[in-house]
Amino acid sequence: MEATVKKTAKGLPLWIAVLLFLLGQPLLSLGGYLLGTNFFWADADLARLNQQLEHFRSLVDAEPDNPSHRTELGFTYFTIGNYRSAHDQLSDAISLDENYLPAYLSRGYLLVELGRLDEALSDFQKVKELEPSDFRGFLNAGIVFRKLGMLEESIVELEQARSLAANSSDIYYHLALTYEAKGDAVAALDLLDRSLELDPLNQDAQAAMFRLQGN
């Protein structure tokens, strides 16, 4: 696969769209919630992402034993859809520092995208182990448990995430999806109400509410 970004990128996670508004910020400051959508890259975004790719490549070449550089490069590869290179860089980062949380978090996102859910869950469990106060480990573990059909386990993880980040619209959204999967539409709608109270512009919560209300 080419190492540069193409004009159109489909099926990418929603948080990549957010990334385009934050390209000047560190990539791993994003939470990232693996929500599938279509997205069309603008020319300016393509140029910025390609610049980032070259920037992180140069950092890795200069300091190949720095896990942060490899994680940033791996995350950038993931963003443009070069999953093999992303996995290589993120795994190398973990080999360099087996306690480097951002590499586990990013590799977990990648593994979910690849459908390797058991491996993704292991990485998110490692995030929880390394930083029990970081809601992202619990949130993403809860998402994976739901994808695996383990709904009670999903609720446990998502409730823990909520206890750590009670004002996160996305946590309520994912809890709603789990209750919807359990067949409890009433609870799901209540959770979506709260999600939209916290973020009225949460398009995923809006779509779920529309769906559950039968519109």
Side-chain angles (χ1 to χ4, degrees), residues 106-144:
S106 293
R107 194 174 68 176
Y109 299 151
L110 170 63
L111 290 167
V112 171
E113 192 73 6
L114 293 173
R116 294 160 59 177
L117 298 181
D118 289 337
E119 295 171 75
L121 184 59
S122 178
D123 277 355
F124 294 138
Q125 299 285 26
K126 184 66 174 181
V127 172
K128 291 163 49 182
E129 174 188 325
L130 291 171
E131 186 48 76
S133 65
D134 190 329
F135 77 94
R136 294 173 299 176
F138 297 95
L139 170 58
N140 286 289
I143 293 171
V144 173

Side-chain angles (χ1 to χ4, degrees), residues 8-212:
T8 304
K10 294 188 176 183
L12 297 175
L14 178 61
W15 48 264
I16 292 178
V18 179
L19 173 64
L20 299 179
F21 297 97
L22 300 171
L23 285 172
Q25 305 298 321
L27 289 173
L28 291 171
S29 66
L30 299 176
Y33 304 130
L34 300 166
L35 309 178
T37 187
N38 290 337
F39 194 81
F40 295 89
W41 306 102
D43 289 339
D45 301 324
L46 300 180
R48 292 292 296 277
L49 284 170
N50 283 320
Q51 288 172 4
Q52 284 188 169
L53 186 65
E54 293 307 315
H55 172 67
F56 291 127
R57 276 177 175 163
S58 67
L59 289 179
V60 168
D61 288 342
E63 298 181 283
D65 293 334
N66 186 316
S68 176
H69 297 336
R70 289 195 178 274
T71 300
E72 298 282 14
L73 179 58
F75 190 86
T76 306
Y77 275 128
F78 178 30
T79 303
I80 67 173
N82 188 337
Y83 295 161
R84 176 176 295 180
S85 294
H87 190 273
D88 288 345
Q89 292 297 331
L90 295 169
S91 296
D92 285 347
I94 290 169
S95 295
L96 289 167
D97 183 352
E98 64 181 16
N99 293 319
Y100 191 62
L101 183 152
Y104 287 102
L105 188 63
S106 293
R107 194 174 68 176
Y109 299 151
L110 170 63
L111 290 167
V112 171
E113 192 73 6
L114 293 173
R116 294 160 59 177
L117 298 181
D118 289 337
E119 295 171 75
L121 184 59
S122 178
D123 277 355
F124 294 138
Q125 299 285 26
K126 184 66 174 181
V127 172
K128 291 163 49 182
E129 174 188 325
L130 291 171
E131 186 48 76
S133 65
D134 190 329
F135 77 94
R136 294 173 299 176
F138 297 95
L139 170 58
N140 286 289
I143 293 171
V144 173
F145 275 128
R146 184 177 69 247
K147 290 177 178 290
L148 290 169
M150 302 171 68
L151 302 181
E152 295 302 329
E153 291 83 352
S154 176
I155 290 172
V156 169
E157 297 290 337
L158 292 171
E159 287 292 358
Q160 182 61 32
R162 178 161 62 167
S163 74
L164 296 168
N167 292 323
S168 168
S169 174
D170 286 298
I171 293 173
Y172 287 92
Y173 165 71
H174 283 289
L175 268 168
L177 293 188
T178 299
Y179 276 98
E180 180 186 8
K182 283 171 61 67
D184 191 340
V186 173
L189 285 168
D190 286 343
L191 289 160
L192 289 171
D193 277 335
R194 181 57 177 154
S195 176
L196 290 168
E197 284 176 9
L198 292 166
D199 180 7
L201 300 180
N202 187 326
Q203 294 181 357
D204 297 287
Q206 291 172 359
M209 178 75 78
F210 188 82
R211 182 182 65 252
L212 283 171

